[in-house]
Amino acid sequence: MRTSENLRSFWSGKRVLLTGHTGFKGSWAACWLMQMGAEVHGFALAPETDPSLHDLLDLDYASQTIADLRDRADVADMVKKVQPELVLHMAAQPLVRRGYREPVETMATNIMGTANLLDALRDSPGLKGVLVVTSDKAYDNDSYDQAHGEIVFTEGDALGGRDPYSASKGCQEIVTRSFGQSYFRAANIPVVTARAGNVVGGGDWSKDRLMTDIIRAVSNGDPVELRSPGTTRPWQHVIEPVSGYLMYLQAAVEGKTTVPALNFGPHESHTVGHVTSLMLDAWGSTAGITQQDNTGGSKEALTLALNSSLATKTLAWEPRLELPTCVEWIVAWHKAHLDGRKMRDVTEAQIASFEMMMDTK
């Protein structure tokens, strides 16, 4: 059976709780799940951006709960009503720089929000598996002190985090593992975590996002202002890790893997400056690049890279979109949006194209 057919066969008809469904990554996941015939129930805050991908897609959710993970009673009430078979936990405060501005809120959402959800799921009948999405920034990254070089993280490396956001994701991993071992293991319900790199794609208008800043600048004919052009990140199209999440939870539920955590990242990491140049070329813009004065600004790790060989070995997962193609897809998506096209059609078409790639060796 082809990979896409195998996924569709598993997810079709499943009752899925997707937290963070109003966000960028959650909207892509919801769209794909519905294409495969899943019954998707969303739980998240209202969209924070205007426009928002969630609103543009206008998907047919089985139910949507607009509420806060930090509200334990609301989380418990939602789980009781939905009684999910499968849970994809994507809801989070996902921004490093916002974490500096709002450290307590970030930790409350990412740590206690996850604890609230897992606690509510403890007695949920019919539950078959849970996947919690964390981040590559959950690893203890010492590259702040490096002038050059690259750290490539594997799943066995130490968790940590020197900034509030990264610390919250490291703690989220520990909380998830403790709940899994304490409450779900005896019932043979897998609770796993997934760590992805810097995710990009059509429809992300979040503040402090590179692609958002680039598209806004070129649309206005302005130069792109970069804080740190030399910073290196594992950039990948959103559909890449989402495919990994779906494959991973399926394999865990079917008993084909007992691995508790997996990385999902691209073959190579690239600098912010290189990605920006590719975006400008693909857009056909001559706006140029300028560098911001980031003196005294929030400090981020200089390099991040993920080793995803365990995901390849465990799931036969591998990234399909090299960076130039990823950039082309983003530009095509946003130009379609500027042209007034129906973005659900555009998004579904890109998902369908990716499924064809999954079935090609």
Side-chain angles (χ1 to χ4, degrees), residues 198-210:
N198 283 56
V199 176
V200 295
D204 187 3
W205 284 281
S206 299
K207 188 177 181 181
D208 296 329
R209 294 286 204 195
L210 176 62

Side-chain angles (χ1 to χ4, degrees), residues 23-44:
F24 163 61
K25 190 189 292 187
S27 294
W28 275 88
C31 189
W32 197 351
L33 284 166
M34 289 184 200
Q35 277 187 276
M36 293 189 292
E39 175 190 317
V40 182
H41 299 262
F43 181 96

